[in-house]
Amino acid sequence: KAGVTQTPRYLIKTRGQQVTLSCSPISGHRSVSWYQQTPGQGLQFLFEYFSETQRNKGNFPGRFSGRQFSNSRSEMNVSTLELGDSALYLCASSLAQEGDYMQEDTQYFGPGTRLTVL
Amino acid sequence: AQTVTQSQPEMSVQEAETVTLSCTYDTSESDYYLFWYKQPPSRQMILVIRQEAYKQQNATENRFSVNFQKAAKSFSLKISDSQLGDAAMYFCALFGNEKLTFGTGTRLTIIP
Protein backbone atom coordinates (compact mmCIF):
# COMPACT_ATOMS: atom_id res chain seq x y z
CA LYS A 1 0.00 0.00 0.00
CA ALA A 2 1.45 3.38 -0.97
CA GLY A 3 2.35 5.74 1.84
CA VAL A 4 1.38 9.34 2.42
CA THR A 5 2.53 11.59 -0.39
CA GLN A 6 3.09 15.32 -0.32
CA THR A 7 3.64 17.75 -3.16
CA PRO A 8 5.66 19.69 -3.85
CA ARG A 9 8.66 18.52 -1.85
CA TYR A 10 10.40 21.89 -2.00
CA LEU A 11 9.04 25.38 -2.48
CA ILE A 12 10.55 28.84 -2.48
CA LYS A 13 8.30 31.87 -2.13
CA THR A 14 8.68 35.54 -1.25
CA ARG A 15 7.04 37.47 1.54
CA GLY A 16 3.46 38.41 0.88
CA GLN A 17 2.79 35.58 -1.53
CA GLN A 18 0.50 32.68 -0.83
CA VAL A 19 1.17 28.97 -1.13
CA THR A 20 -0.82 25.75 -1.39
CA LEU A 21 0.55 22.40 -0.27
CA SER A 22 -1.03 19.07 -1.11
CA CYS A 23 -1.28 15.80 0.77
CA SER A 24 -2.60 12.44 -0.40
CA PRO A 25 -3.27 10.03 2.48
CA ILE A 26 -2.79 6.30 2.58
CA SER A 27 -5.60 4.57 0.71
CA GLY A 28 -8.52 4.04 3.07
CA HIS A 29 -7.38 6.65 5.58
CA ARG A 30 -9.98 9.32 6.19
CA SER A 31 -8.20 11.63 8.60
CA VAL A 32 -5.47 14.05 7.57
CA SER A 33 -3.48 16.19 9.99
CA TRP A 34 -0.96 18.92 9.27
CA TYR A 35 2.08 19.90 11.31
CA GLN A 36 4.70 22.62 11.08
CA GLN A 37 8.28 21.77 12.02
CA THR A 38 10.85 24.49 12.68
CA PRO A 39 14.17 24.46 14.56
CA GLY A 40 12.87 27.00 17.06
CA GLN A 41 9.34 25.78 17.75
CA GLY A 42 9.69 22.09 16.98
CA LEU A 43 6.67 20.17 15.74
CA GLN A 44 3.39 21.99 16.10
CA PHE A 45 -0.11 20.81 15.22
CA LEU A 46 -1.92 22.93 12.65
CA PHE A 47 -5.26 21.21 12.02
CA GLU A 48 -7.00 17.92 11.32
CA TYR A 49 -9.62 17.07 8.73
CA PHE A 50 -12.02 14.16 8.58
CA SER A 51 -14.72 13.67 5.97
CA GLU A 52 -14.08 17.13 4.54
CA THR A 53 -14.60 18.78 7.95
CA GLN A 54 -12.04 20.40 10.17
CA ARG A 55 -12.38 18.66 13.52
CA ASN A 56 -9.54 20.23 15.44
CA LYS A 57 -7.04 23.03 15.05
CA GLY A 58 -3.91 24.27 16.72
CA ASN A 59 -2.89 27.76 17.71
CA PHE A 60 -2.02 29.30 14.36
CA PRO A 61 -3.24 32.55 12.77
CA GLY A 62 -6.04 32.60 10.24
CA ARG A 63 -3.51 32.90 7.42
CA PHE A 64 -3.16 29.14 7.74
CA SER A 65 -6.13 27.27 6.33
CA GLY A 66 -6.91 23.92 4.86
CA ARG A 67 -9.50 21.77 3.26
CA GLN A 68 -10.19 18.16 2.49
CA PHE A 69 -11.77 16.69 -0.60
CA SER A 70 -14.18 13.81 -0.92
CA ASN A 71 -11.30 11.44 -1.80
CA SER A 72 -9.62 12.43 1.51
CA ARG A 73 -6.83 14.36 -0.20
CA SER A 74 -6.06 17.53 1.65
CA GLU A 75 -4.59 20.90 0.86
CA MET A 76 -3.10 23.47 3.15
CA ASN A 77 -2.93 27.15 2.23
CA VAL A 78 -0.84 29.89 3.75
CA SER A 79 -1.63 33.44 2.69
CA THR A 80 0.49 36.57 3.04
CA LEU A 81 3.64 34.60 3.72
CA GLU A 82 6.05 35.79 6.40
CA LEU A 83 9.71 34.89 6.86
CA GLY A 84 8.75 32.92 9.97
CA ASP A 85 6.60 30.59 7.89
CA SER A 86 9.74 28.94 6.54
CA ALA A 87 9.46 25.38 7.80
CA LEU A 88 8.97 21.75 6.99
CA TYR A 89 5.25 21.07 6.68
CA LEU A 90 4.30 17.51 7.48
CA CYS A 91 1.07 15.78 6.68
CA ALA A 92 -0.10 12.64 8.47
CA SER A 93 -3.00 10.32 7.80
CA SER A 94 -4.85 7.83 9.96
CA LEU A 95 -7.83 5.50 9.66
CA ALA A 96 -9.74 7.43 12.34
CA GLN A 97 -13.42 6.90 13.02
CA GLU A 98 -16.69 8.72 12.77
CA GLY A 99 -17.28 11.29 15.44
CA ASP A 100 -17.14 14.97 16.01
CA TYR A 101 -13.78 14.89 17.69
CA MET A 102 -10.35 13.66 16.80
CA GLN A 103 -9.99 10.15 18.17
CA GLU A 104 -6.68 8.47 18.55
CA ASP A 105 -5.46 6.44 15.72
CA THR A 106 -1.86 5.96 14.76
CA GLN A 107 -0.71 8.66 12.39
CA TYR A 108 1.53 7.91 9.42
CA PHE A 109 3.54 10.77 8.06
CA GLY A 110 4.47 11.91 4.58
CA PRO A 111 7.95 13.09 3.59
CA GLY A 112 7.05 16.76 4.09
CA THR A 113 7.19 19.92 2.03
CA ARG A 114 10.13 22.21 2.72
CA LEU A 115 8.90 25.81 2.36
CA THR A 116 11.40 28.65 2.22
CA VAL A 117 10.15 32.23 2.38
CA LEU A 118 12.57 34.90 1.15
CA ALA B 1 -2.35 21.96 28.34
CA GLN B 2 -0.35 18.83 27.72
CA THR B 3 3.41 18.84 27.49
CA VAL B 4 6.11 16.39 26.44
CA THR B 5 9.69 16.82 27.63
CA GLN B 6 12.79 15.18 26.23
CA SER B 7 15.72 16.27 28.37
CA GLN B 8 18.46 14.70 26.26
CA PRO B 9 19.08 16.78 23.11
CA GLU B 10 21.79 14.35 21.96
CA MET B 11 22.79 10.79 22.72
CA SER B 12 25.38 8.45 21.26
CA VAL B 13 25.85 4.71 21.49
CA GLN B 14 28.29 2.15 20.18
CA GLU B 15 26.98 -0.11 17.45
CA ALA B 16 25.44 -3.30 18.92
CA GLU B 17 25.04 -1.71 22.36
CA THR B 18 21.85 -0.65 24.14
CA VAL B 19 20.66 2.91 24.63
CA THR B 20 17.71 4.43 26.47
CA LEU B 21 16.04 7.69 25.47
CA SER B 22 14.05 9.53 28.12
CA CYS B 23 10.66 11.19 27.89
CA THR B 24 8.36 12.68 30.49
CA TYR B 25 4.95 14.12 29.90
CA ASP B 26 2.11 15.90 31.58
CA THR B 27 -1.57 15.66 30.79
CA SER B 28 -4.84 15.98 32.63
CA GLU B 29 -6.41 13.30 30.46
CA SER B 30 -7.05 9.85 31.91
CA ASP B 31 -7.10 8.22 28.50
CA TYR B 32 -4.21 8.93 26.19
CA TYR B 33 -1.65 7.32 23.91
CA LEU B 34 2.11 7.62 23.71
CA PHE B 35 4.34 7.22 20.70
CA TRP B 36 7.96 7.25 19.69
CA TYR B 37 8.69 8.47 16.17
CA LYS B 38 12.02 8.40 14.36
CA GLN B 39 13.07 11.08 11.88
CA PRO B 40 16.19 10.17 9.86
CA PRO B 41 18.05 12.70 7.70
CA SER B 42 15.49 12.12 4.96
CA ARG B 43 13.02 13.93 7.31
CA GLN B 44 10.44 11.16 6.90
CA MET B 45 8.73 10.68 10.27
CA ILE B 46 8.53 6.95 11.00
CA LEU B 47 6.48 5.34 13.76
CA VAL B 48 8.68 3.27 16.07
CA ILE B 49 6.33 2.17 18.84
CA ARG B 50 2.94 2.91 20.37
CA GLN B 51 1.64 2.57 23.94
CA GLU B 52 -1.91 2.84 25.21
CA ALA B 53 -2.00 4.45 28.63
CA TYR B 54 -4.61 2.06 30.00
CA LYS B 55 -2.34 -0.91 29.30
CA GLN B 56 0.21 -1.64 32.00
CA GLN B 57 2.24 -3.96 29.81
CA ASN B 58 5.14 -2.23 28.11
CA ALA B 59 5.03 -2.21 24.32
CA THR B 60 7.75 -4.02 22.39
CA GLU B 61 8.58 -3.93 18.70
CA ASN B 62 11.57 -6.08 17.77
CA ARG B 63 14.68 -4.29 19.13
CA PHE B 64 12.62 -1.39 20.47
CA SER B 65 10.84 -1.46 23.81
CA VAL B 66 9.44 1.09 26.21
CA ASN B 67 9.42 1.53 29.94
CA PHE B 68 6.06 3.11 30.69
CA GLN B 69 5.67 4.44 34.23
CA LYS B 70 2.21 5.98 34.34
CA ALA B 71 2.37 7.33 37.88
CA ALA B 72 5.67 9.01 37.17
CA LYS B 73 4.47 10.12 33.71
CA SER B 74 7.57 8.66 32.16
CA PHE B 75 7.89 6.92 28.80
CA SER B 76 11.44 5.91 27.88
CA LEU B 77 12.54 4.09 24.74
CA LYS B 78 15.15 1.35 24.84
CA ILE B 79 16.95 0.38 21.66
CA SER B 80 18.82 -2.91 21.86
CA ASP B 81 21.59 -4.07 19.53
CA SER B 82 21.90 -0.58 18.04
CA GLN B 83 22.45 -0.46 14.30
CA LEU B 84 23.81 2.25 12.03
CA GLY B 85 20.35 2.67 10.54
CA ASP B 86 19.01 3.70 13.95
CA ALA B 87 20.79 7.04 13.67
CA ALA B 88 18.06 9.70 13.64
CA MET B 89 16.11 12.24 15.64
CA TYR B 90 13.70 10.50 17.99
CA PHE B 91 10.51 12.24 19.04
CA CYS B 92 8.30 11.28 21.91
CA ALA B 93 4.64 12.20 21.34
CA LEU B 94 1.42 12.14 23.32
CA PHE B 95 -2.08 11.94 21.93
CA GLY B 96 -4.57 13.43 24.33
CA ASN B 97 -7.04 16.26 24.49
CA GLU B 98 -7.77 15.55 20.84
CA LYS B 99 -4.31 16.33 19.49
CA LEU B 100 -0.80 14.98 19.11
CA THR B 101 1.91 16.86 21.05
CA PHE B 102 5.59 16.26 20.38
CA GLY B 103 8.70 16.63 22.48
CA THR B 104 11.73 18.53 21.22
CA GLY B 105 13.54 15.40 20.12
CA THR B 106 16.76 13.51 20.89
CA ARG B 107 19.42 13.18 18.22
CA LEU B 108 20.86 9.67 18.36
CA THR B 109 24.29 9.00 16.90
CA ILE B 110 25.54 5.45 16.35
CA ILE B 111 29.29 4.98 16.69
CA PRO B 112 30.66 2.19 14.44
Side-chain angles (χ1 to χ4, degrees):
Chain A
K1 192 180 275 191
V4 178
T5 58
Q6 291 185 246
T7 57
R9 293 293 310 278
Y10 302 91
L11 208 48
I12 299 175
K13 292 286 188 179
T14 57
R15 280 182 299 175
Q17 288 187 310
Q18 75 166 16
V19 66
T20 299
L21 312 182
S22 181
C23 172
S24 292
I26 292 171
S27 177
H29 284 195
R30 300 171 66 184
S31 169
V32 174
S33 297
W34 289 89
Y35 298 85
Q36 181 196 64
Q37 186 176 22
T38 61
Q41 299 298 317
L43 279 150
Q44 293 184 286
F45 171 72
L46 280 155
F47 30 65
E48 186 252 356
Y49 285 87
F50 180 86
S51 289
E52 303 178 64
T53 301
Q54 185 182 91
R55 292 197 300 187
N56 199 8
K57 64 176 295 186
N59 189 25
F60 277 81
R63 299 186 298 107
F64 292 82
S65 63
R67 60 178 176 169
Q68 187 181 34
F69 302 95
S70 58
N71 62 356
S72 295
R73 189 177 69 86
S74 177
E75 287 183 347
M76 188 192 96
N77 184 273
V78 188
S79 63
T80 320
L81 283 166
E82 300 177 0
L83 295 179
D85 296 333
S86 294
L88 179 68
Y89 289 88
L90 293 166
C91 162
S93 76
S94 69
L95 279 171
Q97 300 170 39
E98 296 286 351
D100 59 0
Y101 63 95
M102 183 181 174
Q103 300 170 6
E104 188 280 331
D105 201 343
T106 303
Q107 296 188 22
Y108 297 90
F109 285 79
T113 294
R114 169 74 66 187
L115 171 64
T116 301
V117 182
L118 302 176
Chain B
Q2 58 191 34
T3 60
V4 178
T5 302
Q6 294 179 251
S7 58
Q8 307 154 313
E10 296 184 353
M11 293 279 285
S12 61
V13 63
Q14 293 276 353
E15 193 176 1
E17 296 295 307
T18 296
V19 64
T20 298
L21 308 183
S22 302
C23 172
T24 58
Y25 62 91
D26 192 23
T27 179
S28 57
E29 301 291 311
S30 57
D31 188 18
Y32 54 90
Y33 301 80
L34 293 160
F35 303 86
W36 278 97
Y37 281 92
K38 163 186 173 181
Q39 189 177 42
S42 67
R43 308 298 274 174
Q44 175 83 51
M45 194 75 77
I46 301 165
L47 176 69
V48 175
I49 202 164
R50 171 183 182 271
Q51 174 81 43
E52 294 149 331
Y54 63 85
K55 287 187 177 179
Q56 293 188 346
Q57 185 174 5
N58 290 324
T60 299
E61 196 71 41
N62 300 317
R63 297 181 296 107
F64 299 88
S65 62
V66 298
N67 183 5
F68 175 45
Q69 301 290 326
K70 190 171 183 178
K73 294 184 177 178
S74 171
F75 183 61
S76 61
L77 174 70
K78 185 172 83 170
I79 306 174
S80 305
D81 185 25
S82 297
Q83 301 175 0
L84 294 177
D86 295 334
M89 280 288 286
Y90 284 81
F91 291 95
C92 179
L94 179 152
F95 186 92
N97 196 26
E98 303 175 19
K99 66 176 183 179
L100 191 61
T101 301
F102 288 88
T104 52
T106 297
R107 182 175 303 281
L108 179 64
T109 301
I110 310 296
I111 303 167

